[in-house]
Each structure stands twice: as C-alpha cells, then as structure tokens.
C-alpha cells in the first residue's frame, strides 16, 4: 500500500520444491502490516469473520496475528485479497462500517478495477475507488457493493427520474432513502416525500384501528427502518412532525404538485396504470423522483396490469429518465436470500404455463 494508507505490504512469491512436478499450482504469500491496530481489527472483523469470509470467497488462507495478516493462495487470488484488504482498511479510515457484505462489495469493486486498469502502471491511486458512494451524517459513507448498485447511485446523482427494478435484497429502497437523506442534509431539497401503495401481499388484513397514521404504518414500516438507518431517531421524529419528512400512502398524492422535494415511490409494482400516471405527473420544479419495485412480486388482482411494468415500457427512451435493473446475482441482503431468489426464478422459467382460471359462474353441475 502507499504511505498515505498508513500500511505496509510485502509480497513473497515463489514455487515450492514440489512445484517442479506437473499438476502442482504455484502458491504466493503476501504479508500485510497495518500501522493502526484498531483499524486492522475492524478490517479483520469480530473473531476474524471478515477474513473467514474472504477465504471462502477467494479460496485463499488468511491468518491474522495482531495488526498483521498473511495471505496464501494462487498469485491471482492472493493479489485480489491484498487489494480487498487494502480497500477495507481505507474504508475503515474513512469511518465506514465493515461487515461480510462490505467484503463482498470490496471483492466486486476490486474485480471491476482490475478490468478497468489491467496494467500495473495504470492502477488507480490509493483511496480512489471504482464504485460510487453516498454519505449521510449518521451513517457516513456508504459505497456500492456491486456494479449494479454503482450504476444505480450514479443514475440517482445525474437524473431527475429513476426507475429501479429487481428482486428483494438488492438495496433498491435502502439506497434510495440514503440518497434522499443525503440531499436533504445538503440542502438540495426541502423535504422528503415517500409513498407506497397500500396493497396486502396476498392477505386481507381487514379493519385496522387507530388514526390515519396508525392505519398506514404497517405498510410503510420498511421506509421507517431505512430512515432510522440513515438519520438519528430524534431527527426523523422532528422531520415527521414538521412535514420535512412525509410518509403517506399513494392515494394521498392525487391533486398535489411536489416542488423542491425528493419523491420516492416504493413497491411500485403494485400500482395500477392510472395510479402510476397520477404519481409521475406530481413532479414539480426542483424535485427528483425515484420509483422502485419488483415486477416478479405483483400483488394486484389477476388480470390487472402493473403500473410499473407499463411505465417502464411507455417511457423507454424519454430524456431525463433512467432505468436500472437488478438481477438475482445483485442481492446483498444475505447469501441465502440470493440463493432463494435464484431458485424461485429457475422454477418460474421451468414451470409449464398455468391454464386460464375458469369463473365459477361458468361451471355446470
């Protein structure tokens, strides 16, 4: 690493005597020594869980001893592990949290850097990353964990209207809320307006007691969770009281003109065509709009078209509008979630088409 990273690295590469025999793979050893013990412990993770995850992902051996870690594996894998650890150390210096998901992100980022800067002399300077990031006061810098998230963050920063489609766990809503909070804190917008359609996921909840906010809170709970991730609880509560943050069901958007605001529509796959048109035309001067949804989880009645699917088709190619599509490989919530999504997608592709449902009134005894 460079002196600016406050770390030193020594690579020892060579063949074992047995490597003269055919079939034996060359092994490289890289030793990294970090000057700051506290940051090194953050890089390694609690009980070295980050190193263990790195070993599984890259098929290397990583042994920590104090502020030093020894990496052994093939030359390519060892070099990749070195870049990942250096990137994590730099992120720890900037105050970012480090977990196994950040390890995955650093691996994706390092892979992209390797394809962008193949020659050693063209490697980016220390601290320069290929992936973009957003930053809030409470959370600090949050960097994209894969190429799709990187594309998403760049799209949010450069377009007034962004559609984000993809399976659960890809960070669509979470990153959108984080970006919204960053704009609010920077004074680029005056308020946040976040909405979801109040559609049950295949259930009928019936009458819900309480005032309007208590009735719609169950539908909007994921939005609150994301807000509390990026803002102090007292700031969220104050924003809700003053109207700086507004969280409302989609039906409350009709007839309004939303100016100088960041407007987010979540679970947009459950909007009808008319609801989506109504929502899109609320955009006022100085505002930005983000629309997220998963077209594979539509909870509308059978035969009713999704407003998200229709809008993406109709608005394709319109200037100022960008569409970002996430795949099952982009799931960052948990490795098991990625495997679940992949299994369901595979089953959907292999399943024979369902016969049309017969109305009970057409049946004969």
């Amino acid at each position: 690493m460079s002196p600016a990273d406050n770390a030193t690295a020594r690579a020892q590469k060579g063949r074992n005597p047995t490597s003269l025999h055919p079939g034996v793979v060359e092994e490289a050893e890289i030793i990294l020594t970090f000057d700051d013990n506290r940051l090194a412990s953050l890089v390694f993770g609690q009980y070295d869980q980050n190193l263990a995850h790195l070993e599984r992902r890259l098929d290397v051996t990583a042994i920590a001893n104090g502020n030093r870690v020894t990496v052994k594996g093939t030359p390519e894998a060892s070099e990749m592990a070195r870049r990942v650890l250096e990137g994590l150390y730099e992120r720890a210096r900037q105050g970012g949290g480090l977990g196994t998901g950040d390890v995955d992100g650093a691996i994706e980022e390092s892979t992209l850097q390797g394809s962008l800067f193949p020659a050693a002399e063209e490697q980016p300077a220390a601290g320069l990353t290929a992936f973009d990031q957003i930053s809030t006061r409470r959370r600090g810098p949050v960097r994209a964990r894969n190429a799709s998230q990187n594309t998403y963050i760049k799209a949010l920063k450069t377009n007034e209207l962004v559609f984000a489609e993809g399976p659960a766990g890809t960070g669509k809503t979470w990153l959108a809320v984080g970006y919204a909070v960053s704009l609010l804190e920077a004074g680029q917008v005056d308020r946040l307006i976040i909405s979801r359609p109040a559609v049950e996921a295949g259930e009928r909840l019936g009458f819900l007691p309480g005032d309007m906010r208590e009735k719609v809170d169950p539908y909007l709970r994921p939005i609150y969770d994301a807000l509390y991730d990026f803002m102090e609880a007292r700031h969220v509560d104050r924003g809700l009281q003053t109207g700086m943050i507004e969280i409302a069901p989609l039906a409350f958007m009709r007839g309004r003109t939303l100016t100088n605001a960041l407007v987010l529509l979540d679970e947009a796959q459950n909007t009808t065509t008319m609801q989506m048109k109504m929502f899109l035309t609320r955009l006022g001067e100085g505002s930005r709009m983000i629309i997220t949804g998963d077209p594979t989880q539509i909870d509308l009645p059978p035969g009713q078209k999704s407003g998200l699917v229709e809008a993406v088709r109709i608005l394709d190619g319109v200037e100022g509008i960008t569409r970002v599509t996430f795949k099952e490989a982009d799931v960052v919530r948990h490795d098991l979630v990625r495997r679940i999504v992949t299994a369901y997608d595979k089953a959907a592709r292999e399943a024979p088409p369902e016969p049309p449902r017969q109305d009970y009134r057409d049946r004969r005894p």
Side-chain angles (χ1 to χ4, degrees):
M1 296 178 67
S2 67
D5 291 328
N6 290 330
T8 60
R10 183 175 77 253
Q12 299 174 347
K13 298 183 179 180
R15 294 182 180 272
N16 297 325
T18 56
S19 65
L20 298 176
H21 301 282
V24 176
V25 180
E26 181 182 5
E27 183 180 80
E29 178 182 282
I30 294 178
I31 300 175
L32 288 169
T33 303
F34 300 103
D35 290 344
D36 192 317
N37 288 1
R38 183 184 64 85
L39 297 182
S41 66
L42 293 177
V43 172
F44 302 158
Q46 189 175 18
Y47 303 113
D48 294 341
Q49 64 177 3
N50 290 348
L51 293 182
H53 192 67
L54 184 71
E55 289 178 328
R56 291 191 296 269
R57 287 294 310 274
L58 298 182
D59 194 20
V60 297
T61 300
I63 302 174
N65 183 11
N67 63 335
R68 174 178 296 186
V69 58
T70 302
V71 179
K72 294 181 181 179
T74 64
E76 295 79 9
S78 298
E79 179 62 22
M80 172 74 76
R82 179 188 68 80
R83 294 201 301 267
V84 168
L85 291 170
E86 289 176 351
L88 292 174
Y89 185 77
E90 178 64 25
R91 190 176 305 183
R93 288 184 53 192
Q94 296 174 1
L98 297 179
T100 55
D102 297 290
V103 176
D104 289 329
I107 291 173
E108 294 283 343
E109 187 175 27
S110 182
T111 301
L112 182 60
Q113 284 181 343
S115 63
L116 292 177
F117 308 97
E121 62 272 14
E122 296 178 358
Q123 288 289 333
L128 178 62
T129 60
F131 285 170
D132 211 332
Q133 66 182 26
I134 57 178
S135 182
T136 61
R137 293 169 190 166
R138 182 182 188 276
R139 190 85 187 188
V142 174
R143 183 169 297 149
R145 290 185 177 179
N146 52 52
S148 294
Q149 284 194 354
N150 183 56
T151 300
Y152 185 36
I153 293 177
K154 289 183 181 299
L156 293 176
K157 292 181 176 181
T158 56
N159 294 274
E160 294 178 319
L161 175 56
V162 177
F163 286 95
E165 303 171 88
T170 52
K172 306 182 302 296
T173 302
W174 193 76
L175 286 174
V177 172
Y179 177 68
V181 171
S182 71
L183 290 186
L184 185 66
E185 292 179 343
Q188 297 184 36
V189 296
D190 297 333
R191 53 187 175 147
L192 308 183
I193 301 174
I194 306 175
S195 182
R196 296 180 90 186
V199 176
E200 296 95 346
E203 303 173 8
R204 292 295 177 265
L205 301 182
F207 174 76
L208 293 174
D211 58 21
M212 182 54 65
R213 178 172 174 179
E214 291 171 333
K215 290 177 186 294
V216 300
D217 267 3
Y219 299 102
L220 303 172
R221 178 49 51 186
I223 301 296
Y224 287 105
D225 293 341
L227 278 172
Y228 287 123
D229 267 351
F230 288 101
M231 298 180 71
E232 298 288 347
R234 57 191 176 90
H235 293 157
V236 175
D237 295 339
R238 184 187 307 160
L240 291 170
Q241 293 172 2
T242 61
M244 185 176 64
I245 300 175
E246 180 181 348
I247 303 178
L250 179 60
F252 286 24
M253 297 295 108
R254 185 173 297 278
R256 302 178 62 182
T257 301
L258 308 175
T259 59
N260 299 318
L262 190 290
V263 189
L264 168 62
L265 175 61
D266 191 34
E267 296 292 334
Q269 77 276 3
N270 289 327
T271 62
T272 65
T273 300
M274 293 306 298
Q275 285 176 328
M276 178 61 76
K277 181 181 178 182
M278 176 273 293
F279 183 81
L280 291 171
T281 54
R282 301 308 95 198
L283 190 65
E285 185 177 355
S287 291
R288 291 169 175 258
M289 188 172 282
I290 308 170
I291 298 174
T292 66
D294 180 2
T296 68
Q297 296 193 39
I298 298 174
D299 300 312
L300 294 171
Q304 195 163 27
K305 293 182 179 180
S306 167
L308 174 63
V309 175
E310 286 287 284
V312 167
R313 178 183 62 82
I314 294 172
L315 300 177
D316 183 36
V318 175
E319 184 180 356
I321 300 177
T322 297
R323 174 189 180 190
V324 179
T325 303
F326 293 88
K327 304 296 184 182
E328 59 266 20
D330 299 318
V331 173
V332 296
R333 182 174 293 167
H334 193 286
D335 283 343
L336 186 56
V337 175
R338 181 187 296 114
R339 295 194 292 271
I340 290 172
V341 171
T342 301
Y344 269 93
D345 286 347
K346 180 181 179 182
R349 290 192 297 268
E350 296 175 352
E354 294 184 3
R357 283 185 283 183
Q358 183 182 20
D359 193 287
Y360 75 92
R361 291 169 294 185
D362 296 335
R363 297 175 184 172
R364 296 292 184 268

